[in-house]
């Protein structure tokens, strides 16, 4: 795991853990303001209903109630809806359908949990009591839950103005070339796949505290956001029409996001608006049930996928047709996830020359669906790797062999895929070789036989995934429909005493930025690790930021900090030259020390900093005093983490219960700053990926649209004892285009693992005739698959 | 949660009086079931009568023939009791497989049995071991106690004082956990007792039930093979996203055989 040094490459213990583990963290719900009131949202109990009227009079009269607002009040104030951050174009050339996403329902409720009204009262209890007195007259309407069904004619419409519930149909790749490959294929492997819908379940539920100061005409919003600057931009420019410089958004400690806290939500926007209306601060903290109902969900694809192979088992073409469920409204990145972040990854680690993807995005009467750990890339990996593993079985090749025959060779980089991406570097064979070694694949048959004696079926599954991280070159993203830039900002401030404060636009909510970023700064500036403080999550403190998602913090945010440090070192060199009475060209810099080449005359970074703030002996004519530099970094390409996951399972055929007995992940993350943190990120990602494969799945009732998995009684979160002790390692090829050579590691575990798990189960159950299995592979599903297979064999 | 009045009596009589004084009073023991319903506003008792301070409701007494467990005894007290483990290891195993440590340190046997959750573990022990439920008014045989989904023979205001478990010759409880809640998707208690073989199932139906066909087969031959072909009727079983009736019926057979093999 590496030494616990504070340099780059050292497994320094996480500085933030001290406050988290001792209960000293400060989360949004810990913030209390003088005169604070409490909000409770009235939510639709129906999946689809016309709202004939809302009678708020009883609620208004209830004890402690200050105000009750409905969609009408917002409309009267000209308040807009929540914007979508990415515009996809339909195959027709028209922009996607973009129906309004009001903060509080306007005339119709479109999913169970949709926001209908808000009650604000002196206490939480009073707000909740009064919320039950809001009398909403609903006409229940038929709902549609499945994306495939929603496209059929005659189905209920989620938005009257969107025919067939179709938001867009989008294509990528050359369909002619793909069709041609299928015509001459020796073999075609095809699969119908479901990528199950997931509910993010961050440990800390969403929360917000909004206040307005009339004296300064200034708003402050504390919120559980992965990207407070983006929240401020969207709230001020698009939703509430507020002056951006008069809004401060603070995202203090946040207990996990996994994507679900990227997006501005109705609650925080409504609170910000209402805080001025009532002239008091307002707090709202989601109850767990509200998290289940109204946090943006993830995944939910239905896909038909085909792979064309030649006689040698080489992939010559691939066709993918996906229906993606968007839920009832377009969340911030909803349109980009099943397109830009999905279909572009369909080449995987392979040289497949012709690929065509078609994606139809569909509205349904369910909670909005958006990016969730991996966002599009797990869906792509699931399609590619399930196809590859099935193709290996079809062709009688080993899982390793079919992959090796198709890997992009190391000498082919930079490699242009047929689906838009340009991979800069990688060594896929190296991670597979190491993974097979670590997983002891050689000993697998012996273990299978031993398990058989115990009445268990043992199987092994592979997944060699790739992902695109480090979003993104802004110009490319813009050309693809992004409505914002995707750079990051960083500022490095040396104080007179040589201590350092680093300001970053990347928020940390579990990733350990306060440690990793401090390691980078300590390493480059030669300043003790403990003398570096990393500040994030406050629009009044960090200049700007695009936030944390898509494994971008280190690759983009870390690079911005490096750029700022380059400026610090440049300026310091000039100060040092002056102080040491030497030519600038003669000053050498190494590990925090400026030295006149070939002499023992030197100055430390701290001494230079002191002189910058006490500029008595200082080149004031050429240089400004002070030592504080900032930089914006816009990447020139995505980064491409990749790796090999190998899963080994044992299945109890009598109960259908699957146990993961071994899980190996060998990843290429580029340079690693803190191996311990990277390992932790891999563990968490694997837990979520294995959770998706075996345990988690959001289920809505197909008729009523009620969320059946609305509590932990029915939604299965992975627990420690569902998981084995992971075997993880890295085989790294440094990224070629960012200054740290880093790629990102936050999502890899969740991206790579699901197909490895499912294929391990299919492999285990081959003797029983099982050939396919849907996620999550619950005991019921596995048992049913065995029954069905046996039934087929008898018939 | 809705607002409620709170009382903490120290005797059973006091508790019964308090419960009788208002229409919508409810007893609370460990709160591991009731608190959830309160928090989700699914239950709205006007008065909560906390049984926690009633000393005579707690404790375990074991003699050669019976294990008596006070209603307020926590799951972990049963799981970790060396006396229970010696007399009826199946009972200690069952208690140790309920929820997690936090739940086991607070939840009580009386609360679990009174609640008759279809997926709770204890009902399988009460019925499978042929226990007697002692209340402040009477003694109720296990066979008469569990009526239906969340429904027992208890009258309003009637409190469980203790459960009397006869010590079996051998017994075992095997549970297959529902993946999300980890309550029993199905659980089987089998016991060879002085009065013959008893086999009770929880998790699969509206409430715990016995399987006479299996009991008869086992009476002649206490072996897993003896019940291999004996299936429970799937028609009566629960259907949800975690288990179809057919799957539950199948599990009952698998678990029953495993329980017979594990019985000691
Ligand atoms: C996370 C979690 C996991 C769990 N997992 C399991 C599991 O795997 N298996 C399982 O069986 N259970 C499980 N439970 C439930 C747990 O065992 C509860 O403790 C038990 O069901 C109820 O006991 P209690 O003391 O908490 O009762 P309470 O919640 O206090 O009361 C439950 C009901 O019983 C009534 N009551 C309580 N005591 C008496 C009495 N002496 N006489 C008459 N009525 C009484 C109350 O009025 C109430 O109606 C779980 C609970 C949680 C929170």
């Amino acid at each position: 795991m590496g030494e616990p040094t504070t340099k780059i490459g050292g497994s320094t213990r996480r500085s933030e853990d001290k406050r988290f583990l001792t209960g000293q963290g400060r989360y949004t719900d810990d913030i209390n303001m003088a005169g604070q009131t409490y909000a409770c949202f009235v939510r639709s109990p129906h999946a689809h209903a016309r709202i004939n009227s809302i009678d708020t009079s009883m609620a208004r009269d209830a004890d402690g109630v200050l105000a009750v607002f409905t969609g009408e009040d917002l409309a009267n104030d000209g308040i807009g809806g929540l914007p979508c951050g990415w515009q996809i174009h339909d195959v027709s050339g028209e922009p996607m359908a973009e129906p309004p996403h009001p903060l509080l329902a306007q005339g119709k409720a479109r999913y169970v949990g949709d926001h209908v009204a808000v009650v604000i009262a002196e206490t939480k209890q009073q707000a909740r009591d009064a919320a039950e007195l809001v009398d909403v007259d609903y006409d229940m309407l038929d709902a549609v839950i499945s994306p495939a069904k929603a496209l059929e004619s005659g189905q209920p419409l989620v938005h009257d103005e969107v025919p067939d519930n179709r938001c867009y149909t989008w294509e990528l790749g050359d369909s002619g070339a793909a069709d041609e490959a299928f015509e001459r294929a020796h073999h075609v492997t095809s699969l119908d796949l479901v990528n199950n819908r997931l509910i993010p379940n961050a440990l800390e539920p969403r929360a917000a505290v909004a206040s307005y100061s009339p004296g300064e005409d200034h708003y402050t919003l504390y919120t559980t956001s992965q990207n407070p600057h983006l929240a401020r931009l969207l709230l001020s420019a698009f939703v509430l029409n507020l002056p951006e410089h008069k809004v401060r958004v603070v995202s203090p400690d946040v207990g996990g996001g996994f994507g679900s806290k990227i997006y501005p939500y109705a609650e925080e926007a409504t609170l910000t608006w209402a805080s001025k209306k009532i002239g008091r601060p307002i707090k709202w903290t989601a109850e767990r049930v509200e998290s289940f109902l109204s946090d943006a969900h993830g995944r939910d694809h239905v896909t038909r996928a085909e792979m064309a192979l030649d006689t040698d088992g080489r992939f010559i073409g691939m066709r993918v047709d996906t229906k993606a469920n968007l839920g009832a409204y377009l969340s911030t990145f909803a349109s980009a996830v099943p397109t830009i972040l999905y279909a572009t990854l369909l080449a995987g680690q392979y040289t497949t020359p012709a690929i065509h993807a078609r994606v139809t995005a569909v509205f349904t009467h369910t909670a909005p669906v958006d990016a969730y750990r991996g966002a599009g890339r797990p869906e792509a990996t699931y399609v590619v790797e399930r196809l590859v593993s099935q193709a290996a079985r079809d062709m009688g090749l080993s899982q390793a062999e079919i992959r090796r025959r198709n890997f992009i060779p190391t000498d082919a980089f930079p490699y242009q895929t047929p689906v838009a991406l340009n991979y800069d570097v990688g060594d896929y064979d190296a991670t597979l070789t190491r993974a097979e070694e670590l997983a002891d694949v050689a000993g697998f048959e012996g273990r299978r036989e031993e398990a058989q004696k115990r009445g268990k079926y043992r199987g092994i599954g592979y997944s060699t995934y790739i992902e695109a991280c480090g979003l993104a070159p802004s110009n490319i993203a813009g050309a693809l429909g992004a409505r914002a830039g995707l750079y990051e900002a960083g500022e490095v401030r040396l104080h007179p005493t040589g201590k350092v404060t680093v300001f970053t636009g990347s928020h940390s909510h579990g990733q350990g930025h306060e440690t990793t970023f401090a390691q980078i700064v300590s390493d480059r500036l030669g300043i003790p690790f403990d003398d570096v403080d990393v500040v994030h999550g406050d629009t009044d403190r960090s200049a700007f930021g695009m936030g944390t998602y898509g494994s971008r913090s280190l690759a983009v945010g870390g690079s911005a900090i490096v750029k700022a440090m380059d400026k610090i070192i440049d300026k310091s060199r000039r100060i040092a030259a002056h102080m040491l009475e030497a030519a600038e060209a003669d000053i050498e810099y190494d590990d925090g020390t400026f030295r006149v080449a070939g002499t023992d005359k030197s100055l430390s970074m701290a001494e230079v900093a002191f002189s910058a703030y006490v500029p008595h002996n200082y080149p004031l004519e050429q240089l400004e005093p002070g030592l504080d530099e900032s930089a914006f970094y816009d990447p020139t390409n995505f980064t491409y983490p990749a790796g090999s996951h190998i899963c080994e399972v044992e299945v109890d055929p009598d109960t259908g219960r699957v146990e993961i007995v071994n899980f190996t992940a060998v990843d290429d993350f580029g340079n690693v700053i803190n191996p311990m943190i990277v390992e932790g990120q891999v563990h968490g990602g694997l837990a979520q990926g294995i959770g998706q494969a075996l345990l988690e799945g959001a289920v809505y009732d197909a008729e009523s649209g009620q969320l059946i998995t609305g509590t932990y009684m029915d939604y299965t979160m992975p627990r420690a004892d569902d998981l084995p002790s992971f075997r993880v390692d890295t085989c790294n090829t440094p990224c070629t285009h960012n200054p740290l050579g880093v790629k990102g590691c936050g999502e890899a575990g969740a991206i790579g693992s699901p197909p490895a798990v499912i294929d391990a189960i299919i492999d285990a159950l081959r003797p029983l005739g099982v050939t396919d299995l849907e996620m999550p592979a619950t005991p019921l599903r596995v048992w049913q698959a065995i029954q069905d297979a046996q039934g087929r064999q008898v018939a | 949660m809705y607002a409620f009045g709170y009382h903490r009596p120290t005797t059973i009589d006091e508790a019964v009086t308090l419960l009788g004084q208002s229409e919508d009073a409810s007893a609370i023991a460990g709160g591991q079931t009731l608190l959830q319903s309160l928090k989700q506003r699914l239950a709205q008792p006007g008065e909560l009568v906390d049984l926690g301070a009633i000393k005579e409701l707690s404790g375990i007494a074991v003699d050669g023939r019976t294990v008596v467990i006070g209603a307020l005894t926590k799951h972990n007290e049963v799981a970790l009791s060396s006396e229970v483990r010696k007399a009826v290891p199946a009972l200690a195993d069952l208690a140790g497989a309920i929820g997690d440590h936090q739940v086991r340190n607070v939840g009580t046997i009386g609360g679990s049995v009174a609640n008759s959750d279809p997926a709770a573990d204890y009902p399988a022990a009460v019925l499978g071991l042929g226990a007697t439920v002692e209340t402040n008014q009477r003694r109720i045989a296990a066979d008469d106690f569990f009526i239906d989904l969340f429904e027992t023979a208890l009258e309003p205001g009637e409190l469980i004082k203790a459960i009397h478990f006869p010590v079996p010759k051998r017994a075992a409880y095997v549970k297959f956990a529902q993946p999300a809640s980890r309550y029993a998707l199905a659980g089987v208690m089998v016991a060879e007792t002085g009065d013959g073989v008893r086999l009770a199932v929880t998790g699969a139906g509206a409430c715990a039930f016995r399987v006479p066909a299996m009991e008869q087969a086992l009476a002649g031959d206490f072996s897993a093979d003896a019940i291999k072909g004996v299936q429970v009727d799937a028609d009566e079983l629960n259907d949800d996203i975690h288990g179809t009736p057919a799957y539950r019926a199948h599990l009952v057979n698998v678990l029953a055989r495993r329980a017979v093999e594990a019985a000691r």
Side-chain angles (χ1 to χ4, degrees):
Chain A
M1 210 202 271
E3 293 299 306
T5 77
T6 58
K7 294 282 181 196
I8 286 179
S11 288
T12 315
R13 292 235 178 117
R14 303 199 329 162
S15 0
E16 46 270 76
D17 284 345
K18 192 169 169 196
R19 71 175 188 277
F20 296 152
L21 295 175
T22 56
Q24 305 296 308
R26 196 160 171 263
Y27 297 86
T28 299
D29 192 57
D30 295 326
I31 310 283
N32 290 301
M33 304 189 114
Q36 178 174 295
T37 65
Y38 296 83
C40 179
F41 285 82
V42 176
R43 295 175 185 277
S44 171
H46 307 301
H48 189 198
R50 186 173 301 107
I51 298 171
N52 296 320
S53 63
I54 306 177
D55 180 354
T56 59
S57 55
M58 288 227 294
R60 273 179 217 276
D61 290 345
D63 279 353
V65 172
L66 297 159
V68 182
F69 297 115
T70 67
E72 203 180 321
D73 299 302
L74 287 158
N76 289 341
D77 269 13
I79 300 302
L82 296 169
C84 180
W86 209 296
Q87 187 181 52
I88 296 296
H89 278 79
D90 184 76
V91 282
S92 67
E94 292 295 309
M96 65 187 188
E98 228 173 321
H101 186 179
L103 303 185
L104 297 176
Q106 303 280 351
K108 254 190 177 189
R110 295 187 169 84
Y111 64 98
V112 175
D114 202 357
H115 318 69
V116 174
V118 63
V119 176
I120 299 160
E122 295 287 351
T123 71
K124 209 172 184 172
Q125 182 81 13
Q126 287 169 334
R128 210 174 157 185
D129 285 344
E132 289 181 3
L133 300 175
V134 174
D135 187 7
V136 187
D137 179 19
Y138 293 106
D139 270 347
M140 268 177 76
L141 303 169
D142 286 343
V144 63
I145 301 305
S146 132
K149 196 169 165 202
L151 287 168
E152 291 168 9
S153 66
Q155 288 300 317
L157 292 183
V158 181
H159 301 275
D160 292 340
E161 65 273 35
V162 184
D164 300 333
N165 295 309
R166 202 172 59 85
C167 180
Y168 57 78
T169 297
W170 176 90
E171 289 182 325
L172 183 67
D174 183 339
S175 67
D179 290 347
E180 187 274 326
F182 278 83
E183 272 160 31
R184 65 188 163 83
H186 164 72
H187 175 77
V188 173
T189 293
S190 42
L191 287 173
D192 288 302
L193 299 168
V194 174
N195 206 286
N196 44 325
R197 185 183 185 108
L198 303 176
I199 302 179
N201 278 298
L203 197 54
E204 181 205 18
R206 288 189 294 115
V209 186
S211 63
Y212 173 72
S213 160
E216 300 141 301
D217 187 26
H218 188 280
Y219 295 84
T220 304
L221 170 66
Y222 287 88
T223 182
T224 49
S225 175
Q226 298 180 213
N227 37 352
H229 291 86
L230 193 63
R232 178 176 70 166
L233 174 62
L234 295 180
L235 286 183
S236 48
F238 298 99
V239 187
L240 301 175
N241 305 316
L242 305 177
E244 192 176 1
H245 63 303
K246 292 288 194 183
V247 182
R248 176 183 177 203
V249 177
V250 187
S251 181
D253 284 332
V254 171
F258 312 111
S260 70
K261 291 172 181 166
I262 298 175
Y263 332 111
Y265 283 89
E267 291 90 352
E268 62 212 42
T270 305
L271 253 59
T272 307
W273 167 80
S275 69
K276 181 175 180 181
K277 282 283 213 218
I278 69 160
R280 301 262 301 268
I282 313 170
K283 176 184 278 190
W284 168 78
T285 304
E287 300 198 2
R288 185 54 69 179
V289 171
E290 295 184 279
S291 305
F292 272 101
L293 291 175
S294 72
D295 286 4
H297 294 179
R299 320 278 193 256
D300 209 344
H301 284 192
V302 181
T303 295
R304 170 85 184 159
E306 303 167 286
M307 178 82 91
L309 296 101
D310 71 10
T311 47
D312 297 327
R314 293 216 165 70
F315 310 150
I316 57 172
M318 194 177 164
R319 285 190 299 224
V320 173
D321 188 351
T322 293
K323 292 175 183 66
N325 195 346
L326 296 173
Y329 300 101
L330 272 173
S331 178
T332 316
F333 285 142
S335 50
V337 175
T339 50
I340 309 300
L341 294 174
Y342 167 67
T344 54
L345 274 305
L346 290 171
Q349 300 187 349
Y350 314 108
T351 54
T352 319
I355 300 175
H356 179 256
R358 169 196 289 264
V359 178
T360 306
V362 191
F363 292 109
T364 62
H365 293 104
T366 62
V369 179
D370 207 325
Y372 167 68
R373 202 170 193 167
R377 291 150 292 164
E379 295 91 317
T381 301
Y382 192 66
V383 168
V384 176
E385 292 304 301
R386 286 288 314 274
L387 274 177
V388 169
S389 295
Q390 185 57 43
R393 286 191 287 271
D394 291 353
M395 300 286 291
L397 292 172
S398 79
Q399 294 297 341
E401 181 57 28
I402 196 163
R403 287 173 166 81
R404 290 210 166 90
R405 284 190 192 177
N406 289 284
F407 277 158
I408 298 163
T410 45
D411 59 10
F413 295 103
Y415 178 82
Q416 178 63 49
T417 74
V419 276
L421 296 179
N422 191 280
Y423 300 167
D424 63 333
V425 68
D427 186 346
Y428 308 137
D429 194 67
T431 62
L432 180 56
T433 302
R434 177 72 184 123
E436 287 205 291
E437 198 177 280
L438 209 55
D440 184 24
V441 170
F444 172 71
E445 281 307 326
R447 294 193 293 278
R448 196 203 289 265
E449 282 163 26
E450 185 277 329
Q452 190 77 55
K453 291 192 190 119
R454 287 182 282 113
K456 297 285 175 64
Y457 287 82
R458 199 161 172 129
I460 194 162
Y462 284 57
S463 167
T464 45
Y465 75 93
I466 191 161
E467 53 165 329
C469 295
L471 265 67
S474 292
N475 51 356
I476 295 182
L480 294 172
R483 285 168 167 162
L486 283 161
Y487 47 81
E488 193 50 86
E491 180 181 352
V492 177
R493 179 179 302 163
L494 269 85
H495 302 288
T497 54
K499 314 276 185 201
V500 183
T501 304
V502 180
F503 301 87
T504 172
S506 295
H507 187 270
S508 184
H509 36 277
Q511 296 84 354
H513 293 6
E514 292 168 37
T515 305
T516 311
F517 289 5
Q519 278 180 266
I520 298 169
V521 171
S522 167
D523 189 289
R524 291 248 167 164
L525 298 185
I527 303 261
F529 176 80
D530 289 337
D531 289 352
V532 182
D533 198 29
V534 177
V535 171
H536 61 90
D538 186 342
T539 58
D540 268 12
R541 298 191 74 192
S542 302
F544 202 71
M546 293 310 298
T548 296
Y549 39 83
S551 307
R552 69 192 299 275
S553 291
L554 186 59
V556 190
S559 295
I561 292 168
V562 171
K563 292 282 180 198
M565 284 195 289
D566 288 347
K567 294 184 189 174
I568 292 275
I569 293 168
D570 273 358
K571 184 172 179 182
S572 299
R573 188 193 305 278
R574 294 171 69 186
I575 301 170
H578 175 91
M579 291 171 70
L580 294 169
E581 297 173 341
E584 212 184 299
D586 291 339
I587 302 290
E588 290 172 344
Y589 174 74
D590 181 42
D591 196 20
T593 303
F594 296 91
R595 188 183 309 280
V596 182
T599 75
D600 59 358
K601 281 173 45 176
S602 70
L603 283 172
S604 71
M605 185 61 87
E607 287 170 303
V608 171
F610 186 78
S611 154
Y613 287 94
V614 187
H616 297 162
N617 173 20
Y618 193 87
L620 282 168
E621 319 72 53
Q622 294 132 40
L623 281 180
E624 295 168 10
L627 203 52
D628 184 347
E629 297 289 346
S630 58
F632 283 66
Y633 177 78
D634 204 290
T636 55
N637 191 356
F638 295 90
T639 63
Y640 300 98
S644 297
H645 290 186
I646 298 179
C647 177
E648 209 169 313
V649 298
E650 271 187 20
V651 185
D652 176 349
D654 290 333
T655 62
R657 188 171 180 276
V658 175
E659 187 190 351
I660 300 201
V661 283
N662 283 320
F663 199 101
T664 305
V666 177
D667 299 290
D668 176 354
F669 293 140
N671 290 335
V672 169
I673 308 296
N674 184 319
M676 178 196 69
I677 289 182
V678 165
E679 204 173 315
Q681 290 287 313
V682 172
H683 283 205
L686 291 177
Q688 279 174 309
I690 291 169
Q692 167 161 34
L694 286 187
L695 307 164
E696 299 185 52
V699 180
Y700 281 96
D701 184 86
E703 295 299 314
S704 70
Q706 294 295 327
L707 181 62
I708 295 173
T709 53
T711 73
Y712 293 123
M713 292 299 279
D714 288 301
Y715 189 88
T716 313
M717 290 300 288
R719 295 161 164 98
D721 66 357
D722 290 314
L723 306 167
S725 195
F726 300 124
R727 303 175 183 183
V728 304
D729 200 0
T730 55
C731 288
N732 298 315
T733 60
C735 170
T736 59
H737 56 79
N738 64 43
L740 289 164
V742 298
K743 295 182 180 175
C745 68
E747 298 162 293
I751 292 170
S753 54
V757 176
I758 294 299
D759 260 282
I761 305 171
I762 292 174
D763 181 54
L765 299 180
R766 277 167 85 184
L768 295 173
V770 172
T771 54
D772 193 11
L773 197 60
E774 225 176 82
M775 297 192 290
T778 59
L780 169 62
R781 277 228 169 102
V782 172
W783 177 79
Q784 195 62 57
I786 296 172
Q787 300 310 301
D788 295 348
Q790 307 259 282
R792 276 197 306 272
Q793 285 183 348
V794 171
Chain B
M1 243 180 233
Y2 295 101
F4 52 79
Y6 177 78
H7 311 269
R8 196 169 163 85
T10 51
T11 66
I12 294 177
D13 286 349
E14 216 185 313
V16 170
T17 310
L18 283 163
L19 286 168
Q21 274 170 0
S22 95
E23 276 282 292
D24 59 354
S26 172
I28 182 162
Q32 293 303 290
T33 293
L34 191 56
L35 282 176
Q36 268 87 279
S37 341
L38 294 183
K39 279 185 171 168
Q40 293 190 41
R41 297 194 161 202
L42 298 171
Q44 189 175 9
E47 309 293 325
L48 273 191
V49 180
D50 185 344
L51 307 179
I54 307 175
K55 293 233 163 49
E56 59 188 302
L57 287 180
S58 261
I60 299 171
V62 180
D63 65 30
R65 285 181 313 188
T66 325
V67 175
V68 183
I69 302 180
L72 263 188
T73 311
K74 318 265 192 284
H75 307 331
N76 254 353
E77 289 169 336
V78 176
L80 303 174
S81 156
S82 53
E83 284 182 301
V84 174
R85 179 154 298 281
K86 216 169 119 200
V88 196
L91 189 56
D93 289 344
L94 175 145
I98 295 175
D100 48 40
H101 269 291
Q102 288 89 330
V103 170
R104 292 197 290 276
N105 282 333
V106 191
T108 70
I109 188 169
S112 176
V113 172
N115 198 46
S116 186
D117 185 311
D121 295 297
Y122 265 130
V126 173
L127 198 57
L129 294 168
T132 303
V133 180
E134 179 192 350
T135 75
N136 60 320
Q137 298 172 10
R138 54 187 168 144
R139 285 174 177 243
I140 310 169
D143 287 327
D144 302 325
F145 187 82
F146 300 103
I147 312 273
D148 206 343
L149 198 69
F150 299 108
E151 195 186 329
T152 68
L154 291 175
E155 298 291 335
E158 186 174 7
L159 285 180
I160 299 179
K161 284 174 72 178
I163 319 273
H164 298 248
F165 293 96
V167 174
K169 290 186 191 135
R170 52 180 162 165
Y173 178 67
V174 179
K175 165 182 184 175
F176 190 80
Q178 193 256 60
S181 71
R182 297 213 176 163
Y183 278 63
L185 186 60
V188 173
M189 173 68 88
V190 67
E192 196 180 354
T193 74
D195 295 336
V197 175
R198 295 176 70 97
L199 188 143
V201 174
T202 191
C207 64
F209 62 90
R210 289 170 65 183
V211 186
M214 286 190 181
E215 291 175 351
Q216 278 149 26
L218 290 170
D221 170 13
F222 196 84
S223 77
D225 280 345
I227 50 172
K228 196 153 192 222
V230 188
Q231 292 292 336
V232 292
D233 185 0
D235 286 351
E236 299 288 302
L237 302 188
N238 302 337
D239 189 3
D240 57 36
I241 59 169
H242 308 285
T244 56
Y247 179 55
R248 281 188 159 94
H250 167 82
L251 276 183
V252 167
N253 183 277
V254 171
L255 302 180
R257 283 185 281 133
R258 290 183 183 178
V260 168
E261 274 167 4
R264 64 200 156 91

